[in-house]
Amino acid sequence: MRYVIIGAGAVGGVIGGRLAGSGHEVVLVARGDHFEALRDHGLRLRVPEGELTHRLPVVDGPAALGELRPDDVLVLAVKTQDSVAALQTWGPAPVAGGGTAAERLPLFCAQNGVEGQRLALRLFRRVYGVCVWLPSTYVEPGVVSAAGSPLTGILHLGPVWRTHGTDETARLVAADLEKAHFEAPVVADVARWQYAKLLSNLGNALEAVTGPVSDEDAVALFRRVRAEGAAVLDAAGIAYASTEEQQAVRGDKVTLVPLDGAPRGGGSSWQSLTRGTGTIEADYLNGEIALLGRLHGVPTPLNELLQHLADTFARERRPAGSMPVAELMHLVDGAVVNTR
């Protein structure tokens, strides 16, 4: 199988680099400065064993590859807000022997939240969800890092176009990932793991706005934000893995170690603000909870506030972590009062 990594940033770059390092054929898809750096200098992957350079084919779209191969596996690793454009670009791509990528090829959505795979199912017949537990960083154009040890990450995966079961494609991809420094359980209920991860990701906007969630007030606020999310999932009848179950699976398999030249400043939303991309994925994290809350009659003032603040920071390109926690807490008090 050949892996086509659509969005070779932090998550996609690490997955692609690790697969390439274990002998698999990989194509990276990128744009802008990152595309140019990958094309000219290769993918530089900083991991606990050092910096690894992988000279891989890199394209900015399917046209550069000609017809796709029937054995291609597409890995969608763009941020959710960029999914529609990527799906519309790659879905119609022709596959050797007839048909299109959307009709014939498997698509694995290695993204936070659950909306990306729902968007994918509107176009692609064979969509797989991936619960991404992969601490990684886009360091600079052409350079990504992953500080996890002894494993780089844990990637639960399974098909989402059916209500139960797994399939051979998922097992083959999982086997390749297992040889590439990942644990990759194939599960029939991948959404249960993704919704559990979603609850953790509700803190991404908080971290992006105020900085590391270490202050006592910030930690307490995150607990309230997560509890609000759990109440919404419960009201919607959506199952999610418990904290204890997640800890039992993860254990100390992905322990972060210091990397020379690749400090880990924060998660995906924090990185979006730091890079000044102008967009952020809060609409599909805290916004997912707000959506479900409205559908099921559960107030979500804290998640709505964080969604609004994260969107504002991204749109106005404010510095990551620049709002004092005390200022945020004042806004929290007002948001809660307004729901009473």
Side-chain angles (χ1 to χ4, degrees):
M1 294 187 295
R2 180 176 70 169
Y3 290 90
V4 180
I5 311 295
I6 304 171
V11 169
V14 171
I15 292 175
R18 281 306 203 186
L19 284 169
S22 63
H24 296 288
E25 193 174 358
V26 174
V27 175
L28 303 178
V29 182
R31 59 188 179 183
D33 292 344
H34 192 45
F35 166 80
E36 293 176 2
L38 292 170
R39 179 196 60 198
D40 296 342
H41 307 292
L43 172 68
R44 294 162 58 194
L45 174 60
R46 294 177 182 170
V47 286
E49 60 264 40
E51 180 172 293
L52 311 174
T53 300
H54 299 286
R55 294 279 183 172
L56 303 172
V58 56
V59 300
D60 59 2
L65 292 176
E67 286 188 321
L68 297 178
R69 295 175 5 190
D71 68 337
D72 279 338
V73 173
L74 307 183
V75 179
L76 184 68
V78 300
K79 298 288 178 61
T80 304
Q81 63 269 25
D82 298 321
S83 293
V84 171
L87 293 165
Q88 291 177 342
T89 297
W90 285 86
V95 178
T100 65
E103 294 166 340
R104 294 188 56 194
L105 299 183
L107 176 76
F108 285 75
C109 296
Q111 301 170 293
N112 286 331
V114 296
E115 183 63 17
Q117 62 204 33
R118 293 197 294 233
L119 294 170
L121 281 169
R122 298 176 187 274
L123 296 175
F124 280 77
R125 292 177 179 173
R126 299 169 59 198
V127 177
Y128 298 77
V130 183
C131 179
V132 180
W133 182 254
L134 171 52
S136 55
T137 300
Y138 175 98
V139 180
E140 61 185 60
V143 184
V144 297
S145 69
S149 180
L151 294 178
T152 298
I154 300 176
L155 307 172
H156 287 76
L157 53 92
V160 296
W161 77 90
R162 58 183 70 183
T163 56
H164 58 83
T166 60
D167 70 359
E168 184 63 16
T169 299
R171 288 187 284 272
L172 289 172
V173 170
D176 287 349
L177 290 169
E178 297 262 347
K179 297 172 184 175
H181 295 266
F182 295 102
E183 185 171 292
V186 179
V187 294
D189 56 350
V190 65
R192 196 170 69 89
W193 292 92
Q194 291 174 307
Y195 277 108
K197 176 78 182 321
L198 172 63
L199 292 177
S200 298
N201 286 146
L202 297 180
N204 287 19
L206 175 59
E207 177 188 56
V209 169
T210 67
V213 183
S214 54
D215 175 274
E216 183 177 335
D217 287 338
V219 171
L221 176 57
F222 171 65
R223 292 194 183 112
R224 292 170 62 190
V225 171
R226 189 188 185 284
E228 191 177 87
V232 166
L233 296 185
D234 292 341
I238 295 173
Y240 52 93
S242 67
T243 300
E244 293 74 21
E245 186 176 2
Q246 294 177 80
Q247 290 175 341
V249 168
R250 293 170 183 163
D252 56 0
K253 299 172 185 175
V254 185
T255 300
L256 300 186
V257 299
L259 297 179
D260 292 338
R264 178 165 171 79
S268 57
S269 296
W270 185 91
Q271 292 181 47
S272 292
L273 292 185
T274 299
R275 292 172 60 192
T277 61
T279 65
I280 200 165
E281 59 187 343
D283 288 350
Y284 306 100
L285 301 176
N286 307 89
E288 179 72 21
I289 295 303
L291 168 64
L292 290 171
R294 290 167 190 144
L295 290 173
H296 297 279
V298 179
T300 59
L302 302 182
N303 279 280
E304 290 178 35
L305 174 63
L306 288 177
Q307 178 188 2
H308 168 72
L309 289 174
D311 285 343
T312 300
F313 267 56
R315 183 176 61 254
E316 298 179 356
R317 287 178 165 79
R318 297 188 194 177
S322 59
M323 176 175 282
V325 174
E327 181 179 345
L328 174 59
M329 295 305 296
H330 177 72
L331 295 175
V332 165
D333 291 340
V336 172
V337 168
N338 289 336
T339 63
R340 291 173 181 168

